Amino acid sequence: MIIVMKPNSTSKQIAAVVSRVEAVGYIAKLIKGEETTIIGVVGDDRPIDRTQFELLDGVEKTMPVLKPFKLASRDMHPADTFIPLNGHKVGAPKIVIIAGPCSVESRSQIMEAAIAVKEAGATALRGGAFKPRTSPYSFQGMGEEGLELLAEACEATGLPVVTEAMSPEQVPLVARYAEVIQIGARNMQNYALLNAAGESNAKVLLKRGMMSTIEELLMSAEYILAKGNTQVMLCERGIRTFEKYTRNTTDINAVPVLKQLTHLPVILDPSHSTGKWEYVTAIARAGVAAGADGLIVEVHPDPTQAMSDGAQSLKPEKFAQLVRDVRRVAEAVGRK
Amino acid sequence: MIIVMKPNSTSKQIAAVVSRVEAVGYIAKLIKGEETTIIGVVGDDRPIDRTQFELLDGVEKTMPVLKPFKLASRDMHPADTFIPLNGHKVGAPKIVIIAGPCSVESRSQIMEAAIAVKEAGATALRGGAFKPRTSPYSFQGMGEEGLELLAEACEATGLPVVTEAMSPEQVPLVARYAEVIQIGARNMQNYALLNAAGESNAKVLLKRGMMSTIEELLMSAEYILAKGNTQVMLCERGIRTFEKYTRNTTDINAVPVLKQLTHLPVILDPSHSTGKWEYVTAIARAGVAAGADGLIVEVHPDPTQAMSDGAQSLKPEKFAQLVRDVRRVAEAVGRK
Amino acid sequence: MIIVMKPNSTSKQIAAVVSRVEAVGYIAKLIKGEETTIIGVVGDDRPIDRTQFELLDGVEKTMPVLKPFKLASRDMHPADTFIPLNGHKVGAPKIVIIAGPCSVESRSQIMEAAIAVKEAGATALRGGAFKPRTSPYSFQGMGEEGLELLAEACEATGLPVVTEAMSPEQVPLVARYAEVIQIGARNMQNYALLNAAGESNAKVLLKRGMMSTIEELLMSAEYILAKGNTQVMLCERGIRTFEKYTRNTTDINAVPVLKQLTHLPVILDPSHSTGKWEYVTAIARAGVAAGADGLIVEVHPDPTQAMSDGAQSLKPEKFAQLVRDVRRVAEAVGRK
Amino acid sequence: MIIVMKPNSTSKQIAAVVSRVEAVGYIAKLIKGEETTIIGVVGDDRPIDRTQFELLDGVEKTMPVLKPFKLASRDMHPADTFIPLNGHKVGAPKIVIIAGPCSVESRSQIMEAAIAVKEAGATALRGGAFKPRTSPYSFQGMGEEGLELLAEACEATGLPVVTEAMSPEQVPLVARYAEVIQIGARNMQNYALLNAAGESNAKVLLKRGMMSTIEELLMSAEYILAKGNTQVMLCERGIRTFEKYTRNTTDINAVPVLKQLTHLPVILDPSHSTGKWEYVTAIARAGVAAGADGLIVEVHPDPTQAMSDGAQSLKPEKFAQLVRDVRRVAEAVGRK
């Protein structure tokens, strides 16, 4: 950390900051400039609250030097992490595609969806059994019955299941039925849930919160990694901005940024990041062109009858076209 | 809901939309304009997914007409809700002030803080035992031991305790020690937690998520109310914007907006909404001037030693001055 | 426009709104719902201030039905607009690439840049002579001398020039030297400048403001089109959000959205939209994959010596690689 | 500036950065930490592009140390600047209130408004003659005829006029009729206009852009101050966020922040910062409670007939009440 003193700070104030730095176990080194003095704090100062120092007399501001994440960082772990999924490795050159409906609604619906996405070339099946909904009056998901139907669809098609857990106690339950536990955007900073996921053996798909920075996403991954679970995929699913024409704003920059900062695989969710099916294929292509390792896409046998997220769900034939389009882009950027 | 057809939609498309509206149990009424046709859907359409209709041929967009919240709405419950707290009523003309440290750090610290804020005129004591922290390497709170220390401080001073629960299973535990359970900003859409809070008998302080809309805050309150717990206080604690000079941006507009939309009491947290102690008093005054029913303020016996949020914590003497300042503003706007 | 009445509005209030609608020359049509009444206003209500009606007793809100832009809309002009540039047509299947330094700094610098981008395959040369800078102490551009150097570089390479005008009186001056006048992000709502550009014969590259909506961008284009100048290219250059790891957030969604809403060509600026050269190529590829008609890219012979925007400028050899990469993606999505 | 090297940077890379720092005329001082090395750049590095250094091998990032503004800074000019207006001094303890309609619409309208706001206690009259409108189809203001009507209203009531100039060539024209030239939010970074305002003798009311940071606002003020015009008032008028219930989000934090950073007076515009008349008085009170030196408020004799901004305009009797309310709050915070 750097501590910047105010232009008119006194040498007594500077000395007080230095002794405070030393009191908490670090070394202070000074640079006297023309207008002001800065103090460099030597040592791993990640565990302490940097802003404490801003309260000392004569201090103008503090600035972090070290990246706050370690286990998720490419600095500490330069090689890409690969996560096995249905015979593929997420993070390897081949693009993986997770697809399926927003919610499990019935046996016939999930079975039809599973067969359709498998035929189109999907790697895994998504589908929500526990649904986080803004309104208590909206459909809240089928619960464990939904998990059972997902397991049936998995058995019928061979596609592994990706589905959401919304609380720590749901983690073991979901892990019994699904290969990948999704942590949703609204729960990205639900630390009790992150810890539970970190303690499970399941793979984790961690979605970026709609209000969360890239750094915060990596810090949430750090929670899971710090508990010993290294099978974490990160998912960009759009952030909230002032633009209201689309449901969210796809932060496409996050794809190359994450690939640079971390060794974990990066998945793009063009369904939530746009909110309208018309734009899903264009943004799926863009995601792969930008370097994403995979996609997660909402597909419904009949979107006009969907109990949730109908507007952003693709019909099976549109999804099959998406897979073909994405394949060509993947090859153009040296992927498969 | 209103369904707006595209300028060039055909009468066959319009007829198809009308029959779909009728098929899901509503009445469709048409207005033919010069450029386009709109279809009004008559009936309580809150439970259905409005965007489904955007998938039908010829539809341009849909727009909601009804407010999505009911129990939280002043339309359904015009009279202010009052919540008893330490002999006062939150929501009544007298301003309540909840104060204390970010985290419980030790017996002496919480006791000293409790005595100081009580002397300065606080209504209740805040202090975190379970702390949601961005980094797994930061101090995570003292846990149940912290709750016990809070209970001791309550016994010593008579101040009721406000403290956070981070997961559904913590709710009954926290409720044993505290009069008010806080649901933090990061958990505003943790629906498992909202349901647990709704099922408890404790009072709830529900903080607005840092990138949640006013409407979403009211929908989260609706979850608690729908479970039968009507003792909910709403808390504006700053939202995330592009401005980085302050930690968050105080959405002061939310104060009069919430007072108009809902009967629930509104509390402002100027500590988190600014992130710097220098601005806390000015924003506390502004909140009361704008119509807030109360304040929640971070106070620490020695902020330079705080394990979290030091930069935004007031020293006891500054807090005493804040209480005096706020009192004058409260009287100027007809409050106490 | 739709006028939504409050749930408890009286028939007298409804009648008053209806007569007000009629008084300003429109027809009012009512739909009585279960909870509330809505009033549809028939006629082109774009010129009037919709919010006036929100002041009438019993009105809850108003909602627009018609799109506010006309000349820019695909509804009125379904066929793509093509803009000739150096033997190509912007908007046609072939992707155009405009490239060059942020600022013109010297004859040798602009000449070297022009030759390099031409060799790599650029369609046109960019370079700023008048520079909008946040600080009055930063380099403000070479002014007319810079325009002369651009003209020289154009003559030497045959590349047409794209450069910015910052005020109405600069428009004719810039038009003497450049084929395309750029209106920068900070001036997207400088209406005096938009009107001047609309009255000139030059082609216009209109950049989206960093916190302007897609609709506002189209409304600014509408100013230019309404003055009779139809040669307008729209440019997405990143928007301002809470994410600070990159300089801006590329709103990649805006590419397919604009292609759907308008007939005007859409250009992506991955240099400003990321702010760091490492991400420029990935986002350039993504832009083309999402459907952009062209790119505008910052290239400098020696970015470490650039007087502005060094961090986001590509070296010539990196730019040549970008052109090759983009070509493959273009072919993969059926472009050239 | 601080230059942070990457954890694995070599001593050769460090040496190269040091010589580059020295080559541009500064002194480099090193601090070697446990994980990384930082380089402090000694000297006034404001004029150079900091990000250039991020391109050098081994550099991770750069961070500014010095505030970019000088003339606007309280560091350089500790005493408050007072700006005379109608016998008062803006910036002194007495709160000033500028009021009037959004647009000048007719002689009778502006005269009626002027008389009403004068009677209620306003210090100056606002009213737009040149109107920046999102749509080219909306009312664009009466132009010079509007300025003449403002001058008449000034003569009749003695209230000085505050009105907007939208381009450099309008500055002398507006200055002939008005005592204070307003630079609107959309033009906050129209540098040609800022320079023209800096060269005039008129007082300037500089509104914060809806997309601009506090620091950018101060940098735009710096443009005016650097041209020798020191009579600048800053105006917070709400910023654009994801919250859509109100037209903008009042950044109330900006009030105490600006009072701390700069000696220039700070005015709040609660009409634009809320967009709905129901909230204007509450936010006006909040602004004064937070430390604003004045208010600018939209008042119209009949808001339901206003040609622009009707929804946020107060009727004269509501404005008179606002003045009385604000007076009480002003006294409560030691102002007048």
Side-chain angles (χ1 to χ4, degrees):
Chain A
M1 140 179 45
I2 300 288
I3 302 170
V4 178
M5 302 300 294
K6 287 184 180 153
N8 54 359
S9 59
T10 64
S11 45
K12 209 176 139 190
Q13 288 170 336
I14 295 169
V17 174
V18 167
S19 28
R20 182 62 196 285
V21 169
E22 292 168 355
V24 290
Y26 299 95
I27 297 165
K29 293 198 180 171
L30 269 65
I31 296 180
K32 282 196 189 299
E34 284 177 7
E35 294 186 26
T36 191
T37 294
I38 67 160
I39 300 169
V41 175
V42 176
D44 180 357
D45 55 15
R46 289 182 187 91
I48 60 167
D49 179 8
R50 176 171 57 82
T51 67
Q52 283 183 1
F53 291 91
E54 295 176 2
L55 294 161
L56 301 177
D57 288 342
V59 173
E60 177 144 321
K61 61 176 176 181
T62 64
M63 301 186 294
V65 168
L66 304 176
K67 289 197 191 97
F69 45 91
K70 293 184 197 179
L71 302 172
S73 170
R74 220 179 246 289
D75 292 344
M76 315 285 270
H77 187 305
D80 283 330
T81 287
F82 295 146
I83 298 177
L85 189 68
N86 192 14
H88 303 294
K89 286 184 290 184
V90 190
K94 189 167 181 343
I95 303 294
V96 298
I97 303 187
I98 303 163
C102 176
S103 303
V104 182
E105 297 167 5
S106 68
R107 172 175 288 112
S108 62
Q109 174 249 16
I110 190 66
M111 208 59 88
E112 201 179 328
I115 292 166
V117 302
K118 159 125 195 188
E119 271 174 18
T123 319
L125 175 68
R126 61 152 292 156
F130 300 103
K131 298 297 306 170
R133 304 302 301 275
T134 307
S135 170
Y137 309 122
S138 299
F139 174 59
Q140 307 276 318
M142 293 181 76
E144 191 165 356
E145 192 188 342
L147 294 176
E148 286 162 6
L149 295 176
L150 283 166
E152 273 189 52
C154 165
E155 215 169 320
T157 59
L159 293 180
V161 166
V162 180
T163 194
E164 180 160 356
M166 284 172 60
S167 66
E169 65 268 28
Q170 285 176 2
V171 169
L173 176 68
V174 169
R176 275 210 302 280
Y177 294 96
E179 189 166 325
V180 182
I181 297 177
Q182 176 177 310
I183 295 186
R186 289 176 182 80
N187 281 317
M188 193 200 87
Q189 294 191 315
N190 180 339
Y191 299 114
L193 180 58
L194 294 174
N195 283 331
E199 284 158 3
S200 89
N201 293 318
K203 292 150 194 165
V204 180
L205 179 78
L206 176 63
K207 297 190 109 178
R208 179 179 181 188
M210 70 181 77
M211 61 183 97
S212 299
T213 62
I214 291 171
E215 191 174 292
E216 287 167 345
L217 171 61
L218 290 169
M219 292 309 291
S220 288
E222 193 84 8
Y223 264 90
I224 302 171
L225 297 171
K227 289 283 179 188
N229 186 344
T230 59
Q231 299 198 301
V232 180
M233 296 168 249
L234 305 175
C235 180
E236 164 61 35
R237 44 77 72 208
I239 58 173
R240 181 167 274 183
T241 69
F242 62 87
E243 176 58 61
K244 292 295 156 201
Y245 197 85
T246 47
R247 184 176 178 185
N248 291 293
T249 296
T250 310
D251 184 3
I252 192 80
N253 292 355
V255 174
V257 168
L258 284 169
K259 292 305 294 176
Q260 187 189 54
L261 292 178
T262 185
H263 51 91
L264 299 171
V266 176
I267 307 292
L268 182 75
D269 175 348
S271 306
H272 284 87
S273 81
T274 61
K276 294 189 187 161
W277 72 266
E278 300 102 298
Y279 309 131
V280 169
T281 300
I283 300 307
R285 291 189 318 229
V288 171
D293 298 306
L295 300 168
I296 179 166
V297 180
E298 290 194 344
V299 179
H300 193 286
D302 181 358
T304 69
Q305 303 285 347
M307 295 175 83
S308 54
D309 282 356
Q312 71 195 34
S313 296
L314 291 179
K315 291 182 198 168
E317 61 268 28
K318 298 269 181 201
F319 173 66
Q321 184 60 48
L322 176 149
V323 175
R324 288 191 293 271
D325 284 8
V326 161
R327 189 170 294 151
R328 275 197 298 276
V329 173
E331 284 160 7
V333 298
R335 308 285 295 248
K336 279 180 277 189
Chain B
M1 137 180 44
I2 299 289
I3 301 170
V4 179
M5 301 300 294
K6 287 186 180 152
N8 55 358
S9 59
T10 64
S11 46
K12 206 175 142 194
Q13 289 170 335
I14 295 170
V17 174
V18 168
S19 28
R20 182 63 197 283
V21 169
E22 291 168 356
V24 289
Y26 300 94
I27 297 165
K29 295 199 180 170
L30 270 65
I31 296 180
K32 285 195 188 297
E34 284 176 10
E35 294 185 29
T36 191
T37 294
I38 68 162
I39 300 169
V41 174
V42 175
D44 181 358
D45 55 17
R46 289 183 188 89
I48 60 166
D49 180 8
R50 176 170 57 81
T51 68
Q52 283 185 358
F53 291 92
E54 295 176 1
L55 294 161
L56 300 178
D57 288 342
V59 173
E60 177 143 321
K61 61 176 175 180
T62 63
M63 302 186 292
V65 167
L66 302 177
K67 290 197 191 97
F69 45 91
K70 294 185 197 179
L71 301 173
S73 170
R74 219 178 248 290
D75 292 344
M76 315 285 271
H77 186 305
D80 283 330
T81 287
F82 295 145
I83 298 177
L85 189 67
N86 192 14
H88 303 295
K89 287 184 291 184
V90 190
K94 190 166 183 340
I95 304 295
V96 297
I97 303 186
I98 304 163
C102 175
S103 304
V104 181
E105 296 167 6
S106 69
R107 174 175 287 112
S108 63
Q109 175 249 17
I110 190 65
M111 209 57 89
E112 203 178 328
I115 292 166
V117 302
K118 157 123 196 191
E119 271 175 16
T123 319
L125 175 68
R126 63 153 289 155
F130 300 104
K131 296 298 307 171
R133 302 302 301 274
T134 306
S135 170
Y137 309 123
S138 299
F139 174 61
Q140 307 276 318
M142 295 180 74
E144 189 164 359
E145 192 188 343
L147 294 176
E148 286 163 7
L149 295 176
L150 283 167
E152 273 189 53
C154 165
E155 215 169 321
T157 59
L159 292 180
V161 166
V162 180
T163 195
E164 180 159 356
M166 283 172 61
S167 66
E169 64 269 29
Q170 285 176 1
V171 169
L173 176 69
V174 169
R176 276 210 301 281
Y177 294 96
E179 190 166 325
V180 181
I181 296 176
Q182 177 178 309
I183 295 184
R186 289 174 182 81
N187 281 316
M188 193 200 88
Q189 293 190 316
N190 180 338
Y191 299 115
L193 181 57
L194 294 175
N195 283 332
E199 283 158 4
S200 89
N201 293 318
K203 292 150 193 165
V204 180
L205 180 76
L206 175 64
K207 295 190 111 178
R208 180 179 179 186
M210 70 182 78
M211 220 157 167
S212 300
T213 62
I214 291 172
E215 192 174 290
E216 288 168 344
L217 172 61
L218 290 169
M219 292 310 290
S220 288
E222 193 85 6
Y223 263 90
I224 303 172
L225 297 170
K227 289 284 179 188
N229 186 344
T230 58
Q231 299 199 301
V232 180
M233 296 169 250
L234 305 174
C235 180
E236 162 63 35
R237 46 73 75 207
I239 58 173
R240 180 168 274 186
T241 69
F242 62 86
E243 176 58 59
K244 292 295 157 202
Y245 197 86
T246 47
R247 183 175 178 186
N248 291 292
T249 296
T250 311
D251 184 2
I252 193 81
N253 291 356
V255 174
V257 168
L258 284 169
K259 291 305 293 177
Q260 186 189 53
L261 292 178
T262 184
H263 51 91
L264 299 171
V266 176
I267 307 292
L268 182 75
D269 175 349
S271 306
H272 284 87
S273 79
T274 61
K276 294 190 185 158
W277 71 266
E278 301 101 296
Y279 310 131
V280 169
T281 300
I283 301 307
R285 290 188 318 228
V288 171
D293 298 308
L295 300 167
I296 179 166
V297 180
E298 290 194 343
V299 180
H300 194 286
D302 181 359
T304 70
Q305 304 285 346
M307 296 175 82
S308 55
D309 282 356
Q312 71 195 33
S313 296
L314 291 179
K315 292 182 198 168
E317 60 268 26
K318 297 270 182 200
F319 173 66
Q321 184 61 47
L322 176 149
V323 174
R324 287 191 293 272
D325 283 9
V326 160
R327 190 170 293 150
R328 275 196 298 276
V329 173
E331 283 161 5
V333 297
R335 309 283 297 247
K336 276 182 275 188
Chain C
M1 138 178 47
I2 299 289
I3 301 170
V4 179
M5 301 300 294
K6 287 184 179 152
N8 55 0
S9 60
T10 63
S11 46
K12 206 175 141 192
Q13 288 170 335
I14 295 170
V17 175
V18 168
S19 28
R20 182 63 198 284
V21 169
E22 292 169 355
V24 289
Y26 300 95
I27 296 164
K29 293 198 180 171
L30 269 65
I31 296 180
K32 282 196 189 296
E34 284 176 8
E35 293 186 30
T36 191
T37 294
I38 66 160
I39 300 169
V41 174
V42 176
D44 180 358
D45 55 16
R46 289 181 187 91
I48 60 166
D49 179 7
R50 177 170 57 83
T51 67
Q52 282 183 1
F53 290 91
E54 295 175 2
L55 294 161
L56 301 178
D57 288 342
V59 173
E60 177 145 319
K61 61 177 175 179
T62 64
M63 301 186 293
V65 168
L66 303 177
K67 291 198 190 95
F69 45 91
K70 293 184 198 180
L71 301 173
S73 170
R74 220 179 246 289
D75 292 343
M76 316 284 271
H77 187 304
D80 283 330
T81 287
F82 294 146
I83 298 177
L85 188 68
N86 192 14
H88 303 294
K89 285 185 291 182
V90 189
K94 189 169 181 342
I95 304 295
V96 298
I97 303 187
I98 303 163
C102 176
S103 302
V104 181
E105 296 168 4
S106 68
R107 172 175 289 111
S108 62
Q109 174 250 17
I110 190 66
M111 208 59 87
E112 204 178 326
I115 292 166
V117 302
K118 159 124 196 190
E119 271 174 18
T123 319
L125 175 67
R126 63 153 290 155
F130 299 104
K131 297 299 307 171
R133 304 302 301 275
T134 306
S135 168
Y137 309 123
S138 300
F139 174 59
Q140 306 277 317
M142 293 181 76
E144 190 164 357
E145 193 187 342
L147 294 177
E148 285 163 6
L149 295 176
L150 283 167
E152 273 189 53
C154 164
E155 215 168 322
T157 59
L159 293 180
V161 167
V162 180
T163 195
E164 179 160 356
M166 284 173 60
S167 66
E169 63 270 29
Q170 284 176 1
V171 168
L173 176 68
V174 168
R176 275 210 302 280
Y177 294 95
E179 190 165 324
V180 182
I181 296 176
Q182 177 178 310
I183 295 185
R186 289 175 182 80
N187 280 317
M188 192 199 88
Q189 294 191 315
N190 179 339
Y191 299 114
L193 180 57
L194 294 174
N195 283 331
E199 284 159 3
S200 87
N201 292 319
K203 292 149 194 166
V204 180
L205 180 77
L206 176 63
K207 296 191 109 177
R208 181 180 178 186
M210 70 181 79
M211 220 158 168
S212 299
T213 63
I214 291 172
E215 189 173 293
E216 288 167 344
L217 172 60
L218 290 169
M219 291 310 290
S220 288
E222 193 85 7
Y223 264 91
I224 302 171
L225 297 170
K227 288 283 179 187
N229 186 344
T230 58
Q231 299 199 300
V232 180
M233 296 169 249
L234 304 175
C235 180
E236 163 62 35
R237 45 76 72 206
I239 58 173
R240 180 167 274 184
T241 69
F242 62 85
E243 176 58 60
K244 292 295 155 200
Y245 197 86
T246 47
R247 184 176 178 186
N248 291 293
T249 297
T250 310
D251 183 3
I252 193 81
N253 291 356
V255 174
V257 168
L258 284 169
K259 291 306 293 177
Q260 185 189 54
L261 292 178
T262 184
H263 51 91
L264 299 172
V266 176
I267 307 292
L268 182 74
D269 175 349
S271 306
H272 284 86
S273 80
T274 61
K276 294 190 187 159
W277 71 266
E278 301 100 299
Y279 310 131
V280 169
T281 300
I283 300 306
R285 291 190 317 230
V288 171
D293 298 306
L295 299 167
I296 179 165
V297 180
E298 289 193 345
V299 180
H300 193 286
D302 181 357
T304 70
Q305 303 285 347
M307 296 174 82
S308 53
D309 282 356
Q312 71 195 35
S313 296
L314 292 179
K315 290 183 200 168
E317 60 269 27
K318 298 268 181 202
F319 174 66
Q321 185 61 48
L322 176 150
V323 174
R324 287 190 294 270
D325 284 9
V326 160
R327 190 170 294 150
R328 275 195 299 276
V329 173
E331 283 160 6
V333 297
R335 309 285 296 248
K336 279 181 276 190
Chain D
M1 133 179 48
I2 299 289
I3 301 171
V4 179
M5 300 301 294
K6 287 184 179 153
N8 55 358
S9 58
T10 64
S11 47
K12 206 175 141 192
Q13 288 170 336
I14 295 170
V17 174
V18 167
S19 27
R20 182 63 198 284
V21 168
E22 291 168 355
V24 290
Y26 300 94
I27 297 165
K29 295 198 178 170
L30 269 65
I31 296 179
K32 284 195 190 296
E34 285 176 9
E35 294 186 29
T36 190
T37 294
I38 67 160
I39 300 169
V41 175
V42 175
D44 180 359
D45 55 17
R46 289 182 188 90
I48 60 166
D49 180 7
R50 178 170 56 80
T51 68
Q52 282 184 2
F53 291 91
E54 295 175 2
L55 294 161
L56 300 178
D57 288 342
V59 173
E60 176 143 322
K61 61 177 174 178
T62 64
M63 301 186 292
V65 168
L66 303 176
K67 290 197 191 96
F69 44 91
K70 294 183 195 179
L71 301 173
S73 170
R74 219 178 248 289
D75 291 344
M76 316 285 270
H77 186 304
D80 284 329
T81 287
F82 295 146
I83 298 177
L85 188 69
N86 192 14
H88 303 294
K89 286 185 291 183
V90 188
K94 190 168 183 336
I95 304 295
V96 298
I97 304 186
I98 303 163
C102 176
S103 303
V104 181
E105 296 167 5
S106 68
R107 172 175 287 114
S108 62
Q109 174 249 18
I110 190 65
M111 208 58 89
E112 203 179 324
I115 292 167
V117 302
K118 158 123 196 190
E119 271 175 16
T123 319
L125 175 68
R126 63 152 290 156
F130 299 104
K131 296 300 305 171
R133 302 304 299 277
T134 306
S135 169
Y137 310 122
S138 299
F139 174 59
Q140 306 276 318
M142 293 181 74
E144 190 165 357
E145 192 188 343
L147 294 177
E148 286 163 7
L149 295 176
L150 282 166
E152 273 189 52
C154 164
E155 214 169 319
T157 58
L159 293 180
V161 166
V162 180
T163 195
E164 181 160 355
M166 284 172 61
S167 66
E169 63 268 29
Q170 284 175 2
V171 168
L173 176 68
V174 168
R176 275 210 301 282
Y177 294 96
E179 190 166 325
V180 182
I181 296 176
Q182 177 177 311
I183 295 185
R186 289 176 182 80
N187 281 315
M188 193 201 87
Q189 293 190 317
N190 179 338
Y191 299 115
L193 180 58
L194 293 175
N195 284 331
E199 283 159 3
S200 88
N201 292 317
K203 292 150 194 166
V204 180
L205 180 78
L206 176 64
K207 296 190 111 177
R208 180 180 180 186
M210 70 181 79
M211 60 183 96
S212 300
T213 62
I214 291 171
E215 191 174 290
E216 288 168 343
L217 171 61
L218 289 169
M219 292 309 291
S220 287
E222 194 84 7
Y223 264 90
I224 303 171
L225 297 170
K227 289 284 179 186
N229 186 345
T230 58
Q231 299 199 300
V232 180
M233 295 169 251
L234 304 174
C235 180
E236 163 62 34
R237 45 76 74 205
I239 58 173
R240 180 168 275 185
T241 69
F242 62 86
E243 175 58 60
K244 292 295 155 201
Y245 197 85
T246 48
R247 183 175 178 186
N248 292 292
T249 297
T250 310
D251 184 2
I252 193 82
N253 291 356
V255 174
V257 168
L258 285 169
K259 291 306 292 178
Q260 185 188 55
L261 292 178
T262 184
H263 50 91
L264 299 171
V266 176
I267 307 292
L268 182 75
D269 175 349
S271 305
H272 284 86
S273 80
T274 61
K276 294 190 186 158
W277 71 266
E278 300 101 300
Y279 310 130
V280 169
T281 299
I283 301 306
R285 291 189 317 230
V288 171
D293 299 306
L295 299 167
I296 179 165
V297 181
E298 290 194 344
V299 179
H300 194 286
D302 180 0
T304 69
Q305 304 285 344
M307 295 174 81
S308 54
D309 282 356
Q312 70 194 35
S313 296
L314 292 179
K315 292 182 197 168
E317 60 269 26
K318 298 269 182 199
F319 173 67
Q321 184 62 46
L322 176 150
V323 175
R324 287 191 294 271
D325 283 8
V326 161
R327 189 171 293 150
R328 274 196 299 274
V329 173
E331 283 161 5
V333 296
R335 309 283 298 243
K336 277 181 276 189

